[in-house]
Amino acid sequence: MLLGEIFELVQLVFVVAFTLFLANCVDYDILFANKFVNHTDSSKVTLPDAFLPVDVCSARIHDSVLVIFILIISGVFWLHRLFKFIYNICCYWEIRSFYINALKMSMADLPYFTWQEVQARIIEIQKEHQICIHKKELTELDIYHRILRFKNYMVAMVNKSLLPVRFRLPLLGDTVFYTRGLKYNFELIFFWGPGSLFENEWSLKPEYKRGGNRLELADRLSSRILWIGIANLLLCPVILIWQILYAFFSYTEVIKREPGSLGARCWSLYGRFYLRHFNELDHELMSRLSKGYKASSKYMNCFMSPLLTVVAKNVAFFAGSILAVLIALTIYDEDVLAVEHVLSSITLLGVCITICRSFIPDKHMVFCPEQLLKVILAHIHYMPDHWQGNAHRYETRDEFAQLFQYKAVFILEELLSPVITPFILIFCLRRKSLEIIDFFRNFTVDVVGVGDTCSFAQMDVRQHGHPAWMAAGKTEASIYQQAEDGKTELSLMHFAITNPHWQPPRESTHFISLLKEKVHCEAAAGQQGIIAENPAFTSTHSLQSDSEPRSLIANLLMGPPSLASLHLGREGSINPVSTGVSVGASALHSISPVSTSLHLRNSYPSARLPRPDHPAVVTGSGTDARTISSGSSAWEGQLTSMILSEYASTEMSIHALYMHEMHKQQSRGEVSRHTWHRQESDESSESVNEDIEATRNFPQSSTFPTTSHQEGPAQQSGGQRRYGGASDPVFGSFRAQRTPRMTMGGWSEENQMGRHHDPVPEEGSEDELPPQIHKVT
């Protein structure tokens, strides 16, 4: 890490110095043979002949105001990076000392430890030495909150469509623009820049925890965004030049060597936040997305245009013919290479052929979009409802391309980022200032020993669950408080599987227990004959102890179910939803702790694995084996960890499929409601009930909860202090006074008169913090 930062500083100096040298110290007339050089000893022109003398070069640099300005800006930026590097060295040294002295892990042995082992040691050290003085014991969730505090906020804001990253353009339609430069500015404004919302790395500023001065804070935030946008606009030429030069130096050689790399795909920055669970570390996210990369590439290749394929084949033929002649001539006589533009023609023709081949599909490949989309879902875990059953449509493909974009598109967006980012900040983000203030107040909780964290990251089904995601009866959250796309439920399952010894809150435990009970019931129903003839069920059930975990998903997703297992709907239509649910339940039931442990023990007897009677995690899986210590050697420990990690990943994949099938089953018969194409909240706020809002003495905000005329005591539970009116989903006497409204993002819930927005008590003008405080246990 430190070595990488050192080379980044060196790269910055190299790019600036090399660019100045090329612009001011090279005589291109001599280099291109437009001017002759008189030599006394030789007539051959050498490369140093094209270099200008030092005095001439320095004079050119001093006479150029633009060059001086660029050097000053580059120097300031380099010093900023240098100070940050020195600060990181101090932090890394403290971390190194902590690993060696507290955790008893040497730097030589550290690569052989898994994250679960490091985390387990931290929890044990807390019990002995009280490294956190505010609480007696640390939990896995506390550790994740400290590491991912700001990233959880960003994931929540993307989930609630609070950040202005989706746009509808005249010719391009719905587009997503989210670059590293835009992300840097968001973090600068919200978290760590001068005048940000946080006063340090763990605490939100007190004024942002009160509701009485929200309008003043919104105006202040709006002014700050404006000035940061103007600064981006003034620095746009310098940043744009840097982006172009850095991209040129980084990708030119790669494009020459592998031109098809621009046609490769990568997960977009927006996709990484949309698909990220709450409390998911970077290496966990990258591992999950990497496993879905191959299936995603195959799915996108299903949509090759026949017309484009024919054009690419013919262009490749003509370019290949010319290239073949030039190669043959150079083989016959190498002096052909000395002819002007011959070498460049060979290079360009080779690039053209490689690009054309990327548009020609493999004629032996058979594509099944629906099955590929299910395989993708097994790994990425999130998918809009309207994608299922529409995998063959170009609309679905275009929406998925926003998550899984071309490398060339990624590079182009980064190049355009310096120009577009200032306008997004000035004209889009400023309009959301009041919503941002409300969001941080309403969804910030003070956890003892951790500090201020995003309440969504608590993964509490009662506070942020969604009834359509198996949380009906367990959640009391209003529409404003509900996480979208099953984010709370799926994040909870992922964290419980990844950290099997973690004890979730009571409501979340009930949710997991209910899911476990449904799994067993569905599996039992499948074994009793409901899907006994289904080949997917038969093959999945037979893979309990003698096959790799990935085969479970492969067999679960194989082909359509047999006719004997299909259920007929009211109108005689075939309905395989219940079949898919039962197959998923059987697959989850098949990777029990007993079968998993026995299989691993028989396959790898040298590894130290848990006993079959080891208590299972609340999900009913055997993933608690991942927290065991390493084997008798580092290699055995790594092998054991790798195998158990694969089983954990498989279990979560099948859980994701199962929960999506259950979600589809519960949503059947209801009006489809999804948030993939939510309108801008600024436009939707105009449609809020004007009569209701007129009774209040504050301006409209599409994200600020409506306030009841009656106020009562807020009931809180758990281990956190909550700020703002939307903190408590239990409203007591307010339950009968729900008022219909439109929630953040502009989407509304239709034909569901029984579910409306919950009124949330508004704090008065006093600057007193809410008195309710409770501890984490």
Side-chain angles (χ1 to χ4, degrees), residues 28-40:
Y28 289 97
D29 289 332
I30 296 177
L31 192 63
F32 297 149
N34 295 328
K35 184 169 63 175
F36 296 100
V37 179
N38 296 324
H39 290 276
T40 58

Side-chain angles (χ1 to χ4, degrees), residues 11-262:
Q11 283 183 4
L12 178 59
V13 174
F14 172 78
V15 170
V16 175
F18 190 50
T19 303
L20 289 178
F21 174 79
L22 293 177
N24 299 279
C25 302
V26 177
D27 191 342
Y28 289 97
D29 289 332
I30 296 177
L31 192 63
F32 297 149
N34 295 328
K35 184 169 63 175
F36 296 100
V37 179
N38 296 324
H39 290 276
T40 58
D41 53 347
S42 175
S43 60
K44 181 180 290 186
V45 178
T46 60
L47 190 60
D49 293 332
F51 299 160
L52 295 175
V54 177
D55 54 345
V56 177
C57 179
S58 60
R60 285 190 175 186
I61 294 176
H62 286 95
D63 294 340
S64 177
V65 178
L66 178 61
V67 171
I68 298 298
F69 176 74
I70 293 177
L71 283 176
I72 294 174
I73 297 298
S74 302
V76 172
F77 180 71
W78 190 84
L79 290 176
H80 164 72
R81 295 293 299 270
L82 179 62
F83 291 144
K84 184 178 179 182
F85 170 71
I86 297 174
Y87 172 77
N88 289 337
I89 288 181
C90 299
C91 294
Y92 292 150
W93 186 261
E94 293 180 0
I95 294 173
R96 181 180 182 275
S97 301
F98 176 77
Y99 271 85
I100 295 176
N101 301 324
L103 301 184
K104 307 301 180 184
M105 294 180 176
S106 64
M107 294 297 102
D109 296 334
L110 187 59
Y112 301 104
F113 287 95
T114 63
W115 165 248
Q116 283 74 22
E117 292 171 327
V118 174
Q119 186 174 246
R121 291 201 181 191
I122 295 176
I123 294 175
E124 291 300 322
I125 289 297
Q126 169 66 18
K127 297 178 182 178
E128 299 176 2
H129 303 289
Q130 291 292 302
I131 56 177
C132 178
I133 62 176
H134 299 286
K135 58 191 311 183
K136 185 176 181 180
E137 294 184 0
L138 283 177
T139 65
E140 292 86 350
L141 189 59
D142 293 336
I143 298 174
Y144 274 74
H145 278 166
R146 285 172 174 262
I147 299 173
L148 301 171
R149 187 190 316 272
F150 296 151
K151 289 186 178 179
N152 282 329
Y153 274 107
M154 295 295 291
V155 172
M157 285 191 282
V158 169
N159 180 256
K160 297 297 288 184
S161 294
L162 184 59
L163 298 178
V165 295
R166 301 190 61 88
F167 308 95
R168 180 179 292 274
L169 302 179
L171 298 178
L172 300 179
D174 290 329
T175 59
V176 171
F177 187 84
Y178 193 33
T179 62
R180 289 180 295 186
L182 189 59
K183 172 178 172 290
Y184 177 86
N185 279 275
F186 286 159
E187 294 176 348
L188 177 69
I189 293 170
F190 300 145
F191 304 124
W192 57 266
S196 64
L197 279 63
F198 279 75
E199 61 182 355
N200 47 48
E201 294 181 355
W202 60 87
S203 178
L204 189 69
K205 290 180 179 178
E207 58 264 28
Y208 292 99
K209 301 174 183 179
R210 309 183 183 100
N213 57 344
R214 50 190 291 267
L215 298 179
E216 177 186 349
L217 294 175
D219 292 337
R220 187 192 308 174
L221 179 62
S222 177
S223 299
R224 183 165 178 268
I225 294 173
L226 175 62
W227 285 111
I228 292 180
I230 293 175
N232 276 267
L233 195 60
L234 295 176
L235 295 176
C236 173
V238 179
I239 301 175
L240 181 61
I241 293 174
W242 164 259
Q243 291 280 59
I244 294 174
L245 291 175
Y246 189 82
F248 175 78
F249 292 143
S250 300
Y251 299 112
T252 301
E253 189 275 334
V254 177
I255 294 173
K256 179 183 180 301
R257 177 167 40 89
E258 298 180 31
S261 61
L262 292 179

Side-chain angles (χ1 to χ4, degrees), residues 231-349:
N232 276 267
L233 195 60
L234 295 176
L235 295 176
C236 173
V238 179
I239 301 175
L240 181 61
I241 293 174
W242 164 259
Q243 291 280 59
I244 294 174
L245 291 175
Y246 189 82
F248 175 78
F249 292 143
S250 300
Y251 299 112
T252 301
E253 189 275 334
V254 177
I255 294 173
K256 179 183 180 301
R257 177 167 40 89
E258 298 180 31
S261 61
L262 292 179
R265 290 186 176 269
C266 61
W267 295 103
S268 66
L269 186 60
Y270 172 79
R272 294 172 191 268
F273 279 95
Y274 175 79
L275 300 175
R276 187 170 194 154
H277 294 296
F278 291 121
N279 302 304
E280 185 175 20
L281 296 173
D282 291 343
H283 73 272
E284 296 171 345
L285 173 67
M286 293 308 302
S287 174
R288 182 164 58 87
L289 295 183
S290 297
K291 292 173 182 176
Y293 182 87
K294 185 176 295 185
S296 300
S297 298
K298 289 183 178 180
Y299 174 74
M300 297 303 292
N301 291 335
C302 292
F303 296 88
M304 289 292 184
S305 171
L307 178 61
L308 186 60
T309 300
V310 173
V311 173
K313 286 182 179 180
N314 286 274
V315 172
F317 171 77
F318 295 127
S321 302
I322 301 173
L323 181 61
V325 172
L326 293 177
I327 293 176
L329 291 175
T330 55
I331 293 176
Y332 177 76
D333 189 352
E334 63 181 10
D335 291 336
V336 175
L337 293 175
V339 179
E340 189 176 13
H341 301 313
V342 169
L343 186 59
S344 58
S345 299
I346 293 176
T347 303
L348 292 177
L349 289 171

Side-chain angles (χ1 to χ4, degrees), residues 512-579:
I512 298 177
S513 301
L514 176 63
L515 177 60
K516 175 183 175 182
E517 181 180 351
K518 284 181 176 291
V519 166
H520 285 290
C521 291
E522 293 289 347
Q527 293 173 355
Q528 291 174 2
I530 295 181
I531 57 170
E533 300 299 327
N534 193 320
F537 167 76
T538 304
S539 58
T540 301
H541 185 67
S542 65
L543 293 172
Q544 293 186 26
S545 60
D546 58 354
S547 182
E548 62 172 344
R550 288 295 158 201
S551 298
L552 296 175
I553 300 178
N555 284 275
L556 179 64
L557 300 176
M558 63 176 296
S562 61
L563 293 177
S565 65
L566 295 176
H567 291 209
L568 296 179
R570 298 179 185 178
E571 301 177 359
S573 58
I574 295 178
N575 188 3
V577 173
S578 59
T579 300

